[in-house]
């Protein structure tokens, strides 16, 4: 289908509005999925190039895709936005300088490692903490970062997709994931190309060529037929959409191998010792508050709380799945 075909699916019913975080914050139609689709449709019918005003409305979208499961017509809003950004890039538009720098950094693991250590340093040195804005400080990351995540197995039971930011700044999550997979009796391997970016943010920004290059690297780094476990919601959603990105049998088959860690847990409960088997033990564990990632809930249709309730008491946030804002 073309962009125009996708745009025509939207009937403008407005059922997406309550599920859009930017509309709920601003109350402006142009900050809603319906409004942005109307702006893209109007631009497509005129010059095809998006004006700076239209671009400003599209750029405020956090791409949580909460509108998609709410849409009765099945509008693929994420695909529409990516296609509009791609068309705009092909018409000569270049992403903002800071965005281009950010997308370039994601391709280089060592730079991400240095930024992580710099963020920790800024948070630990009083002088730097007073000078630097809070958004440049990174917490929860060790200067040493712990052991590098490496697992080399010729024919693993599962692969662990390490990714870029996760590999540099949240390595402890990878180590915990590996421990969980091995507790389930699985041999684990990490990609041959360490810390390869999946290309999701590049695709969202309209840089499809870069997204394809990164996607090929990821697919080549995890050969075979073993499942690919992902513990980052955005990366998992992207890997599952490689088939739509390339429309090739190889990419489609690769996408079928991608599985979120919560899916893996649900499918392997018999291999894991669940505290839910002992109600007394379950009740004695501390309660966990869960904020479900957008791309896990809205794109992969996976509920984190449903899985965790089998192991610990869970309190669900009464936010109706509202995006945390990180996408913006």
């Amino acid at each position: 289908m073309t962009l125009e075909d996708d745009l025509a699916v939207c009937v403008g019913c407005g059922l997406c509005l309550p599920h859009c975080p930017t509309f709920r914050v601003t109350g402006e139609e142009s900050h809603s999925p319906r409004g942005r689709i109307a702006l893209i449709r109007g631009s497509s019918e005129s010059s095809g190039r998006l004006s700076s005003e239209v671009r400003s409305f599209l750029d405020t979208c956090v791409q949580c895709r909460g509108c998609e499961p709410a849409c009765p017509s099945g509008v693929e809003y994420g695909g529409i936005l990516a296609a509009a950004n791609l068309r705009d890039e092909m018409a000569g538009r270049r992403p903002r300088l800071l965005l281009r720098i950010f997308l370039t950094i994601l391709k280089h693991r060592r730079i991400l490692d240095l930024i992580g250590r710099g963020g920790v340093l800024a948070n630990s040195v009083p002088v730097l903490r007073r000078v630097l804005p809070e958004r440049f400080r990174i917490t929860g990351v060790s200067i040493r970062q712990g052991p590098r995540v490496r697992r080399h197995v010729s024919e693993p039971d599962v692969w662990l997709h390490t990714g870029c930011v996760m590999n540099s700044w949240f390595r402890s999550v990878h180590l915990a994931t590996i421990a969980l997979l091995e507790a389930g009796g699985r041999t684990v391997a990490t990609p041959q190309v360490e810390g390869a970016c999946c290309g999701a943010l590049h695709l969202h920004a309209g840089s499809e060529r870069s997204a394809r290059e990164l996607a090929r690297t990821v697919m080549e780094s995890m050969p075979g037929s073993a499942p690919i476990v992902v513990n980052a919601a955005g990366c998992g959603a992207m890997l599952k959409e490689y088939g739509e990105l390339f429309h090739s049998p190889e990419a489609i088959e690769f996408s079928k191998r991608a599985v979120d860690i919560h899916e893996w847990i649900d499918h392997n409960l018999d291999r894991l010792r669940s505290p839910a088997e002992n109600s007394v033990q379950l009740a004695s564990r501390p309660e966990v508050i869960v904020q479900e990632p957008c791309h896990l809930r809205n794109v992969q249709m996976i509920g984190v709380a449903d899985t965790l309730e089998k192991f610990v008491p869970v309190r669900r946030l009464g936010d109706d799945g509202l995006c945390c804002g990180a996408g913006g």
Side-chain angles (χ1 to χ4, degrees):
M1 294 177 65
T2 65
L3 174 58
E4 284 69 25
D5 292 331
D6 289 334
L7 289 169
V9 177
C10 177
V11 297
C13 67
L15 291 177
C16 59
L17 300 185
H19 302 274
C20 175
T22 52
F23 176 79
R24 287 172 62 170
V25 169
T26 66
E28 295 184 27
E29 176 75 16
S30 297
H31 284 290
S32 72
R34 181 176 66 179
R36 293 185 179 103
I37 286 175
L39 291 171
I40 294 171
R41 184 184 290 126
S43 299
S44 300
E45 292 171 352
S46 55
S47 63
R49 177 76 181 271
L50 301 178
S51 67
S52 57
E53 183 180 16
V54 171
R55 274 249 56 90
S56 67
F57 289 119
L58 299 190
D59 288 345
T60 58
C61 174
V62 292
Q63 303 211 31
C64 69
R65 291 167 67 172
C67 53
E68 291 187 11
C71 178
S73 300
V75 174
E76 296 183 359
Y77 175 77
I80 289 175
L81 197 59
N85 286 332
L86 174 61
R87 177 178 291 186
D88 205 28
E89 184 181 54
M90 294 177 66
R93 189 266 308 178
R94 299 190 68 193
R96 298 187 305 274
L97 178 60
L98 285 177
L99 179 58
R100 294 203 304 271
I101 294 173
F102 174 66
L103 295 177
T104 300
I105 288 174
L106 291 180
K107 299 179 181 181
H108 301 283
R109 175 182 58 79
R110 286 184 174 83
I111 297 179
L112 284 171
D113 284 349
L114 288 173
I115 292 175
R117 290 177 173 83
V120 174
L121 185 63
N123 195 61
S124 58
V125 178
V127 175
L128 293 177
R129 190 164 57 243
R130 287 194 297 268
V131 174
L132 289 178
E134 186 174 352
R135 65 179 178 272
F136 291 125
R137 305 175 202 154
I138 299 176
T139 59
V141 181
S142 166
I143 289 289
R144 294 186 176 182
Q145 271 288 54
R148 175 67 62 181
V149 178
R150 288 195 181 98
R151 286 291 190 282
H152 301 296
V153 182
S154 56
E155 295 184 7
D157 294 323
V158 296
W159 290 93
L160 173 65
H161 172 66
T162 51
C164 50
V165 172
M166 286 294 297
N167 190 61
S168 294
W169 299 354
F170 300 98
R171 199 170 301 154
S172 60
V173 178
H174 283 339
L175 295 172
T177 302
I178 290 174
L180 179 61
L181 294 171
E182 291 178 341
R186 297 295 194 264
T187 57
V188 186
T190 52
Q192 297 169 359
V193 180
E194 183 188 16
C197 177
C198 68
L201 294 178
H202 300 78
L203 185 64
H204 295 167
S207 301
E208 184 171 328
R209 185 176 65 178
S210 294
R212 284 173 174 268
E213 292 173 354
L214 293 167
R216 287 192 186 95
T217 300
V218 169
M219 289 191 292
E220 292 170 359
S221 70
M222 293 181 283
S225 58
I228 300 163
V229 172
V230 191
N231 55 20
C235 296
M238 181 64 177
L239 264 62
K240 291 181 178 181
E241 294 180 347
Y242 277 1
E244 299 176 18
L245 181 64
F246 290 101
H247 298 288
S248 68
E250 296 78 13
I252 293 173
E253 195 59 35
F254 183 91
S255 291
K256 291 178 180 178
R257 294 168 55 202
V259 56
D260 182 77
I261 182 61
H262 299 89
E263 289 180 294
W264 186 88
I265 292 173
D266 282 338
H267 295 158
N268 293 271
L269 283 175
D270 58 327
R271 291 176 171 267
L272 300 171
R273 294 182 59 191
S274 172
E277 296 174 359
N278 188 329
S279 58
V280 176
Q281 185 178 3
L282 179 62
S284 66
R285 287 175 172 261
E287 187 177 52
V288 174
I289 299 176
V290 176
Q291 199 278 336
E292 296 182 322
C294 297
H295 282 80
L296 203 59
R297 175 176 177 149
N298 302 327
V299 184
Q300 301 187 58
M301 304 299 177
I302 299 171
V304 178
D306 294 337
T307 299
L308 293 181
E309 279 181 334
K310 300 178 177 69
F311 299 89
V312 293
V314 172
R315 178 185 298 180
R316 300 170 188 256
L317 294 181
D319 61 352
D320 298 323
L322 185 67
C323 175
C324 70

